[in-house]
Amino acid sequence: MSAEAAAALRLGTTVAKAAAQMWLGGRRREQERQLDMAGLIRLRVSGLRFQRGVHRQFEEIADAVYDRLAPYLEREFRGLDDGARQAVLDGVCDTFEAADLSDEAVLAADVNPAEIVRRITGTVRPPVGLGEAESRLYELLFTECVEYYVRIVRGLPVFEERALTELLARTTSLGTEIARILERLPDRSLFAPEGTDRDGDFRRRYLELVSTTLDETELYRRTSDRAGARVRLSVAYVSLRATGDDGNRRRPARSLPMLRPDMSDWEEPGTESAGMRVEAALGGATRVLVRGEAGSGKTTLLRWLAITAARGAFTGELADWNGLTPVFVKLREYSGRELPKPEAMLDSVAGQITGVMPKAWVERQLADGKALLLIDGVDELLDGERRGVRDWLRGLLAAYGSVRVVVTSRPAAARADWLRRERFTALHLDRMTPPDLAAFVRQWHQAVRELDDDLPCATDELPHYEQSLLTSLKDRPHLQSLAGTPLLAAMLCAMHLDRGSRLPRDRMELYRDALHTLVHERDADRNVPSAVDGRLSLNDKLVLLRDLAWRLSDNNRSEIGLEQAAVHVGRKLRGMRHLDEQDGTRVLQQLRDRAGILRAPAEGRVDFVHRTFQEYLAAEEAAEEDRVGNLVERAHLDLWRETIIMTAGHANRPQREELLGGILDRASAEPRYARKLRLLAAACQETVPEVSEELGGRLEEAVSALLPPRRKTDPPALAAVGPSLLRKLPRSLEELTPKAAAQTVRTVAMIGGEAALGLLEGYAADRRKEVVDALIEAWGYFDAEAYVDRVMSGLPLDGYRVVLTHLAQLRAAVRLRSLTVLWVQFPVRDLSVLTDLPALQELVFWVRGKVDLSPLRWHVGLTHLQVVGEAALQHVEVLAELFELRLLQLPLSHPDTFKDLPTLPRPTTLGVSRVTSETPLDLLKRFIGVEDLHLFGSPNSAQPDLASLSALPRLAKLHLLYFDVSRLSQQHLESLLPGVQVTIH
């Protein structure tokens, strides 16, 4: 243990002991001063069980103090030698032991830590022999410990010896609660700028206010509520991803329906794919413009940065931000008035205490580079005011060039290069990936626990709601696609909780609620100036957006030029006679900036933030303007599929009959498109509330004509029909051919859900190879544990290849002890989990980093072993114990891979990957039984020196893969390796 850690532990124990003594009602008799905490508790508490319980709680309190002090001491002790450190530590502990910290003394000081410190320093002699630096640190450290002491005793319940059993039960989480109290305290640092005696005191008070007031977010709102319940942001916060932003963020056009992804998408990938964590991106720059669409988490990010800076709790890439003073500026509060000068920047967060702020305090923070300037909501100001923000920023940075700044805006209001002259790095907050969404759902349900009685369910039921929603998101791709931002994900969480874990049967209601939230309600609730300034109602906005969506879809487009879009908006406005505003350009700009569903994918262009919203609005417009005949004509086109399905939901009964009847008429008259049109008509059943008996019969016939699936393309097409199709599928596969049975299994898997899992459970009795293969493949679409219990455990797995795509499957696979062939298609580092699968004969797995092969010694029956990827393999000597091994493939990422490998006569086929021109192939001489050798290079890389392969006595075939062998002649190969057949791939 380091000296700093030991010091923190000693101080934590000292503070906890003092709190224990006060709680236990001790009079601080002289003999009790010498007791350790255990002795003190034994003296005051009777009964071993009670003593152990109380002692455990105060040990947790000591740990909580330790956690706060350890980083502080590591920073502040750095400049002192061992003797000076010890003197300071002894002085603080001695003063604490001698001080009067009884309840009477604490109450006499009004429970004010500063007053308690003044009274103690006036009555207890300070330590002697300390230098100036040591004295200063002693004073600060003692003050810090008194602060913790006061916080702890205020959080303790009243002690009554006669009710100890009840009180002990109440304190089972006491240590955790005290840790939470201390966690909310701001970071204490000597980094406060010099200049006045009161700067440090004010900074402490200010940081505590920031840590408290900004640590809340609206997380749950009942349907009827105007104000949502608020919980701690530090609990609800989920890290998002960000990418570098060049201003061009076009989206690929979607033509086919969204397919249900397998569960591997929900596992956290080993590498960041689309972008890096936003904290890592922020850590690499001092001036950042963060852009993101409505609800993408921009304000939440800034608030989290502010409270984490106040608590000095940054880690990883942002660790050097600890010690900064956060200054959070909400730009919307300055609409119509001058942007704040430094002394007014604290008004929105800490206006209650700015009256006692030392003169020029903010300026000193900025000038010394100790401020973290967080500027929120460029887009929330009126257009003319945004230009002033840039001038204001430019002036601040000219005066205080070393300050760190993070600015947020929607893309429409600030282009990626908006602050390029000021050397800002532009980042864009990405949509949440499935792992991000899963993390958000878990954090959301953890955070709402704090609402207790305000919840519509018992707190202990929240895990059920959490799992139920995750299952729905995994089973229904439309839900997952919609919940791509924290705002919409939170909307789904709240809707799911408020409705007793039931989401709407179809997506129409979800899209409507999401549109209303994004287009109007969110800005109205927050009184955003650039939204309040407009005169458009929600219905007005939707009328304009519907028209724009239809025009885009009608021309098979996903984006349009701003000028052309403004012409369309202006034309529509002229028919809206109740509105005074007729300027299409100005209204389009307001819609783009604040409606929440329009964005600028490139300069001078506009599109919808998600294709779903364009399709939903275009469908509503088609029903409103009775364009059903137009849709029937286009029903065979993939681009119109989703719009037609949602039009069936928006339409009145005559329109639905015309739409679905027309599609089925075309299916009968046009054999070329018959299958596609029947699938579309069947899929429309998801959104239609009801149909006539005649049309219902025609739909049944259309679905029956599609079944059973036989071709590889059938399962995804049929799965797009949705869960209603499951009612038409057989309970048993006995009457189907092997091919049709396998495609039926795949169709059910792609539909997903509890009903689908029940069908597959019944199919597990079928022993045909095609069916068993399909059932094994279907595992990837369901919860790993549930599928193992209900389907996999009933399959004959001996001889069948089982492919794992994510870690949850590997953890569940250990229950399948009959597994003989296992392929693990994701990077693994710990092979010990495989020891529960003794029957393995063939094992293929991907690796990364360092991998210990020693667990393989339990698999003496292995005949095939392939290690794929890039890793440093440890304990390769275990391969000598695999006496049945015939095929072996290993990576040569590390030069010492085969250093400890004994001679291996058994593998007759050997593959070696990661081979370069520098690889010494004499490493392979230990494989004396090899007859067939495969060397894998990288595309266009030169081959290594092959001469040393002549040392392999039984080598008959050599395969060179991915090498540039243009200069390698057959004659040369024959001279190097006479009698060896060389094949170049």
Side-chain angles (χ1 to χ4, degrees), residues 517-533:
T517 297
L518 288 172
V519 171
H520 187 76
E521 293 173 356
R522 184 165 179 261
D523 276 353
D525 289 345
R526 297 163 71 207
N527 293 315
V528 173
S530 56
V532 174
D533 185 64

Side-chain angles (χ1 to χ4, degrees), residues 392-670:
W392 172 72
L393 265 176
R394 191 172 294 153
L396 276 173
L397 294 173
Y400 309 108
S402 60
V403 68
R404 294 177 188 262
V405 189
V406 183
V407 181
T408 67
S409 176
R410 291 187 189 180
R415 301 187 315 182
D417 61 354
W418 191 63
L419 293 172
R420 184 168 295 168
R421 286 182 56 191
E422 289 72 32
R423 304 191 306 281
F424 273 71
T425 298
L427 297 177
H428 189 278
L429 289 180
D430 296 332
R431 289 178 60 82
M432 290 192 290
T433 64
D436 297 332
L437 180 53
F440 181 92
V441 171
R442 286 191 289 269
Q443 289 297 104
W444 191 94
H445 286 84
Q446 179 64 29
V448 297
R449 287 176 176 276
E450 299 184 357
L451 299 180
D452 295 328
D453 294 340
D454 289 334
L455 287 171
C457 69
T459 304
D460 58 6
E461 294 178 8
L462 284 174
H464 164 75
Y465 281 89
E466 176 187 315
Q467 189 56 50
S468 172
L469 179 57
L470 283 172
T471 300
S472 296
L473 289 167
K474 293 173 181 179
D475 285 340
R476 297 162 67 180
H478 297 295
L479 286 180
Q480 180 182 331
S481 176
L482 180 65
T485 66
L487 173 65
L488 293 180
M491 183 197 78
L492 279 179
C493 290
M495 183 182 295
H496 181 263
L497 182 63
D498 203 28
R499 299 184 181 194
S501 76
R502 293 186 300 274
L503 288 171
R505 180 181 65 85
D506 64 71
R507 45 199 154 109
M508 303 291 287
E509 185 177 351
L510 289 174
Y511 294 164
R512 185 191 67 232
D513 288 351
L515 276 170
H516 290 188
T517 297
L518 288 172
V519 171
H520 187 76
E521 293 173 356
R522 184 165 179 261
D523 276 353
D525 289 345
R526 297 163 71 207
N527 293 315
V528 173
S530 56
V532 174
D533 185 64
R535 298 293 183 265
L536 301 181
S537 67
L538 170 61
N539 191 59
D540 294 334
K541 295 173 185 176
L542 291 176
V543 166
L544 295 171
L545 291 168
R546 285 202 317 255
D547 179 71
L548 188 59
W550 173 260
R551 292 182 182 278
L552 282 170
S553 298
D554 192 39
N555 290 284
N556 294 329
R557 294 179 181 176
S558 61
E559 62 180 60
I560 189 174
L562 276 172
E563 292 183 5
Q564 186 179 2
V567 171
H568 293 319
V569 171
R571 188 178 294 126
K572 193 69 176 178
L573 283 170
R574 288 194 286 275
M576 302 170 72
R577 311 300 295 177
H578 62 289
L579 293 178
D580 294 331
E581 179 62 81
Q582 297 293 305
D583 188 329
T585 300
R586 186 160 55 239
V587 170
L588 175 64
Q589 182 177 353
Q590 182 186 350
L591 288 173
R592 186 192 64 176
D593 290 357
R594 299 308 316 167
I597 65 167
L598 292 179
R599 64 169 196 163
E603 182 66 22
R605 311 289 292 175
V606 67
D607 73 352
F608 285 85
V609 296
H610 199 282
R611 178 82 183 191
T612 288
F613 293 133
Q614 178 182 329
E615 292 163 341
Y616 177 91
L617 290 165
E620 191 173 10
E621 181 73 0
E624 182 74 22
E625 298 297 325
D626 200 19
R627 294 190 169 104
V628 172
N630 193 309
L631 295 181
V632 172
E633 292 175 3
R634 299 176 178 184
H636 65 288
L637 300 174
D638 289 330
L639 277 172
W640 284 88
R641 183 183 185 280
E642 296 300 308
T643 301
I644 290 171
I645 290 173
M646 285 188 274
T647 301
H650 284 299
N652 57 37
R653 181 166 180 169
Q655 288 175 328
R656 284 197 299 274
E657 298 281 328
E658 179 185 355
L659 178 63
L660 297 180
I663 292 172
L664 292 175
D665 289 343
R666 283 193 62 192
S668 300
E670 303 176 44

Side-chain angles (χ1 to χ4, degrees), residues 218-425:
E218 182 183 307
L219 207 62
Y220 177 72
R221 176 183 294 189
R222 295 179 187 272
T223 306
S224 59
D225 286 348
R226 292 304 302 163
R230 307 186 76 83
V231 299
R232 286 190 297 148
L233 182 146
S234 53
V235 175
Y237 178 76
V238 171
S239 173
L240 299 176
R241 300 176 193 267
T243 52
D245 194 350
D246 61 3
N248 295 299
R249 307 190 63 80
R250 281 188 167 84
R251 164 184 73 243
R254 192 184 82 222
S255 56
L256 297 175
M258 290 175 289
L259 297 179
R260 178 172 178 248
D262 65 39
M263 293 299 108
S264 63
D265 282 7
W266 289 85
E267 294 293 316
E268 184 66 47
T271 57
E272 304 293 354
S273 51
M276 67 175 70
R277 291 294 170 194
V278 66
E279 296 85 1
L282 288 172
T286 57
R287 301 177 182 181
V288 182
L289 171 63
V290 177
R291 306 197 315 154
E293 304 299 343
S296 59
K298 301 181 297 296
T299 299
T300 300
L301 171 64
L302 290 198
R303 292 167 72 98
W304 179 82
L305 290 172
I307 63 176
T308 309
R311 298 171 185 175
F314 286 116
T315 59
E317 293 87 347
L318 294 181
D320 63 346
W321 286 25
N322 290 322
L324 296 180
T325 301
V327 179
F328 186 79
V329 179
K330 304 176 190 176
L331 287 177
R332 68 171 175 263
E333 296 183 354
Y334 296 94
S335 180
R337 60 192 182 101
E338 184 181 0
L339 289 165
K341 292 182 171 56
E343 64 268 18
M345 287 181 180
L346 308 189
D347 288 353
S348 62
V349 175
Q352 308 93 318
I353 64 171
T354 52
V356 297
M357 179 173 65
K359 185 175 181 180
W361 184 83
V362 178
E363 286 87 342
R364 286 194 292 279
Q365 302 291 316
L366 295 168
D368 290 350
K370 296 301 183 183
L372 175 60
L373 191 54
L374 305 169
I375 301 171
D376 184 42
V378 171
D379 56 287
E380 296 180 348
L381 293 176
L382 301 175
D383 182 51
E385 296 173 323
R386 295 171 195 156
R387 290 186 290 271
V389 173
R390 185 162 49 189
D391 294 337
W392 172 72
L393 265 176
R394 191 172 294 153
L396 276 173
L397 294 173
Y400 309 108
S402 60
V403 68
R404 294 177 188 262
V405 189
V406 183
V407 181
T408 67
S409 176
R410 291 187 189 180
R415 301 187 315 182
D417 61 354
W418 191 63
L419 293 172
R420 184 168 295 168
R421 286 182 56 191
E422 289 72 32
R423 304 191 306 281
F424 273 71
T425 298

Side-chain angles (χ1 to χ4, degrees), residues 843-847 851 853 856 865-869 871 873 888-891 911 913:
L843 175 61
V844 180
F845 60 92
W846 272 250
V847 293
V851 178
L853 298 184
L856 294 179
L865 175 63
Q866 292 178 258
V867 183
V868 184
L873 302 180
L888 174 65
Q889 179 178 332
L890 297 172
S913 59

